[in-house]
């Protein structure tokens, strides 16, 4: 069924919008709006997948962030201390002058793993967070 379209106004950094436009051009989208609708659908699917992560899991959180963002490294460290009970290991890589990569390996209840990833995603200056989970292999 055709749904009513709502109009929204969004403010974006120019670099982000230029990159997005480049990708939708390459992928052959008919309009920027179509690309944005698709991106929002992907966001929702990913969120629903994350909400569904349950039972004992091994999770890997990959974070790319700007280390020049004031207070961000402290906040990231604070979250990792908060989830100390399920964090197994972490790795820090200085990507370039401004950017850092952190990989955190967790093992615990899926919803706690998800919560740790979501808390990191919500921080200002975090550019990208990816959570992957795997089973412990016991039932395989
Ligand atoms: Ni660094």
């Amino acid at each position: 069924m055709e749904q009513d379209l709502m109009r929204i106004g969004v403010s974006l950094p120019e670099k982000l919008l230029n990159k997005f436009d480049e990708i939708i051009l390459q992928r052959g989208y008919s309009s920027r709006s179509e690309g944005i609708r698709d991106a929002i659908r992907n966001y929702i699917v990913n969120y629903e997948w994350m909400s569904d992560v349950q039972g004992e899991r091994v999770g890997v959180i990959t974070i790319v962030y700007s280390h020049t963002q004031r207070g961000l490294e402290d906040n990231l460290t604070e979250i990792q201390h908060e989830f100390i009970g399920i964090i197994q290991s972490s790795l820090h890589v200085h990507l370039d002058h401004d950017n850092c990569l952190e990989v955190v390996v967790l093992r615990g209840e899926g919803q706690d793993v998800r919560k740790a990833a979501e808390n990191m995603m919500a921080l200002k200056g975090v550019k990208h967070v990816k959570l992957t989970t795997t089973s412990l292999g016991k039932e395989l």
Side-chain angles (χ1 to χ4, degrees):
M1 196 173 67
E2 196 68 25
Q3 292 183 56
D4 289 340
L5 296 176
M6 313 293 279
R7 273 188 171 277
I8 55 165
V10 184
S11 305
L12 296 172
E14 195 181 356
K15 251 173 80 178
L16 186 64
L17 185 61
N18 288 344
K19 187 74 199 165
F20 186 74
D21 283 344
E22 216 177 275
I23 292 170
I24 60 176
L25 192 70
Q26 279 170 12
R27 299 191 65 186
Y29 281 99
S30 55
S31 68
R32 187 188 269 164
S33 288
E34 191 47 48
I36 291 171
R37 283 194 283 273
D38 204 28
I40 292 175
R41 282 185 208 107
N42 276 324
Y43 181 88
I44 292 170
V45 167
N46 186 52
Y47 178 80
E48 287 178 346
W49 170 79
M50 280 181 73
S51 303
D52 219 35
V53 174
Q54 280 174 28
E56 195 186 9
R57 295 294 179 113
V58 174
V60 179
I61 302 172
T62 309
I63 314 146
V64 175
Y65 66 93
S66 163
H67 86 115
T68 57
Q69 178 74 42
R70 193 180 291 270
L72 177 55
E73 290 196 315
D74 285 348
N75 289 332
L76 273 174
T77 303
E78 211 164 285
I79 292 170
Q80 293 192 41
H81 279 272
E82 196 184 316
F83 288 90
I84 190 85
I86 58 169
I87 291 178
Q88 308 273 295
S89 183
S90 68
L91 167 79
H92 185 101
V93 178
H94 308 300
L95 288 178
D96 59 29
H97 188 270
D98 298 323
N99 296 293
C100 296
L101 167 82
E102 206 143 306
V103 178
V104 182
V105 180
L106 312 93
R107 178 180 177 168
E109 168 52 40
Q111 289 302 297
D112 295 332
V113 171
R114 176 185 64 89
K115 191 89 188 72
E118 281 180 352
N119 288 0
M120 291 174 191
M121 272 175 201
L123 298 174
K124 193 167 188 232
V126 170
K127 296 181 174 181
H128 182 69
V129 175
K130 191 172 174 73
L131 168 66
T132 51
T133 65
T134 181
S135 80
L136 287 113
K138 289 175 188 163
E139 292 120 37
L140 303 177

